[in-house]
Amino acid sequence: MQEVQVELTSRHKMYDEWQEDTHQYLGCCTQKGSDWYLTYKEQIEGAGEVNTVWKFSQQSISLLRQGAIQTKQRFQKGETDRTTYHSPHGIFSMEINVYKMKRNDENERPSVIQISYQLWLNEQYAGDHEISLQISWQ
């Protein structure tokens, strides 16, 4: 397990206007077989601490969040993922339609992850979303 710096940029577009947030985290990254796991803790306003685990596989990327927010999402280009999102504000059914996904490696380790998808909450369109993870190895 190796310590890494993580910069997470999330963008959300609703009604032709983009909103962007960037957060910095100190995390750990480790390889198991051909998969990579990135872990860090988030402090989410109004929700508290959330343990976050990303799994980077050859064909898909998974996100597991546990704590005040609980969800498991699977991102795979051209696929739809249906799951639930538990938060202090309630439980929501969530559907993700991934239309773009890219992973860049440096020295055979993940360095940049980009995911673009449409999000549906409780069967209502909740906008286009983009996630960009920049992983800096120590």
Side-chain angles (χ1 to χ4, degrees), residues 29-48:
C29 207
T30 188
Q31 186 176 19
K32 293 181 183 174
S34 62
D35 299 334
W36 284 93
Y37 292 84
L38 169 65
T39 60
Y40 56 86
K41 293 185 186 303
E42 295 178 81
Q43 286 295 328
I44 298 181
E45 190 176 323

Side-chain angles (χ1 to χ4, degrees), residues 87-119:
S87 79
H89 307 291
I91 299 172
F92 304 92
S93 65
M94 185 164 58
E95 184 176 298
I96 300 164
N97 298 303
V98 179
Y99 56 87
K100 187 176 172 187
M101 202 165 80
K102 184 178 180 183
R103 172 180 154 181
N104 291 340
D105 289 359
E106 273 184 30
N107 300 321
E108 300 180 8
R109 302 180 298 196
S111 60
V112 178
I113 307 295
Q114 296 172 314
I115 306 168
S116 300
Y117 60 97
Q118 290 183 326
L119 177 66

Side-chain angles (χ1 to χ4, degrees), residues 68-98:
I69 293 175
Q70 296 181 26
T71 189
K72 184 175 183 179
Q73 298 167 253
R74 185 171 174 269
F75 303 94
Q76 186 168 345
K77 187 176 177 184
E79 298 285 326
T80 299
D81 180 60
R82 290 176 182 83
T83 188
T84 54
Y85 183 88
H86 299 257
S87 79
H89 307 291
I91 299 172
F92 304 92
S93 65
M94 185 164 58
E95 184 176 298
I96 300 164
N97 298 303
V98 179

Side-chain angles (χ1 to χ4, degrees), residues 5 19 113 119 135:
Q5 288 283 349
Q19 294 180 347
I113 307 295
L119 177 66
I135 304 167

